[in-house]
Each structure stands twice: as C-alpha cells, then as structure tokens.
Amino acid sequence: MHEMSLCESLVDVIEDSARREHFTRVRRVRLEVGRFAGVELSAMRFGFDAVTRGTVAEGAELEILEVPGAAWCFDCCDTVSLDNRLDPCPRCGGVRLQPSGGMEIRIRDMEVV
C-alpha cells in the first residue's frame, strides 16, 4: 500500500510547515489527488489517520479533492478531459494522447491554529 508512504510524506510537509509558519495544530487538510495518480482514496484516508497520530495534524480532517484526468490529443490538437487514462479522445476518437493533468498529489490548503 503506497498510500501509507504518501501519507508519511504528507505529514513531513505539514510538520515542516508548522515549524516554518509557527502553528501548533492542523484542523483540516485539503488534498488534491489526480484521477491518474494511482491512489486508492479510502487507503489514503486510513493512512492519514494512522500516520498523523502524535503530530500537529492528529485529528485533522482530510478532505480529498479529485482532479479530473486530462490529455493532449495529437489528432485533434486539443486538451480533453478523460475518465480513464486509456480512453480514446472524446472529441475525435483518436488514441494518440499524452496525459497532461490528473497525475498530481498536492496540498491545496490547510486550516491551522
């Protein structure tokens, strides 16, 4: 379950921010997770609860915002939204696509005290 290591990295970023910005508690973390990031969202929530124990983020709400998938279509020269990385272009039916969005995992913002 690579979500656990993702959560550990997330807590490292939160702890670094707490030291730098001088806050002592995190109430909520809004996390953007792309559709193509390969993350199981329920495992991410479970992992976050487990790895935040004893940190400034203990008890914080993890709000996951799913970012849609996007790709550049070489056939119609347009950026299109995709539900599945292997789907054809919804505009022209082409299959020569380069993913351009939906692969990210990033903290959008945090509510801190």
Side-chain angles (χ1 to χ4, degrees):
M1 173 164 92
H2 77 285
E3 286 81 1
M4 190 64 79
S5 63
L6 291 173
C7 289
E8 289 170 345
S9 295
L10 180 60
V11 168
D12 288 344
V13 170
I14 293 168
E15 291 279 323
D16 288 345
S17 295
R19 282 189 291 279
R20 188 176 58 252
E21 303 296 329
H22 308 291
F23 57 85
T24 57
R25 186 162 177 261
V26 178
R27 289 190 177 155
R28 181 176 60 150
V29 176
R30 291 197 314 164
L31 187 67
E32 293 180 342
V33 178
R35 183 175 296 267
F36 301 154
V39 173
E40 177 61 45
L41 300 182
S42 61
M44 192 75 175
R45 287 184 184 93
F46 174 82
F48 184 79
D49 287 340
V51 301
T52 56
R53 290 185 191 128
T55 72
V56 297
E58 182 171 8
E61 173 192 356
L62 178 63
E63 183 180 339
I64 297 177
L65 309 169
E66 193 169 355
V67 177
W72 174 257
C73 177
F74 288 98
D75 296 327
C76 67
C77 297
D78 197 10
T79 299
V80 295
S81 293
L82 294 177
D83 289 330
N84 186 313
R85 200 173 184 144
L86 299 176
D87 284 349
C89 175
R91 184 170 173 202
C92 73
V95 294
R96 297 182 321 132
L97 300 166
Q98 174 66 47
S100 60
M103 298 166 284
E104 58 275 0
I105 301 172
R106 70 174 153 242
I107 297 172
R108 180 172 189 161
D109 56 29
M110 296 185 288
E111 183 180 330
V112 302
V113 181

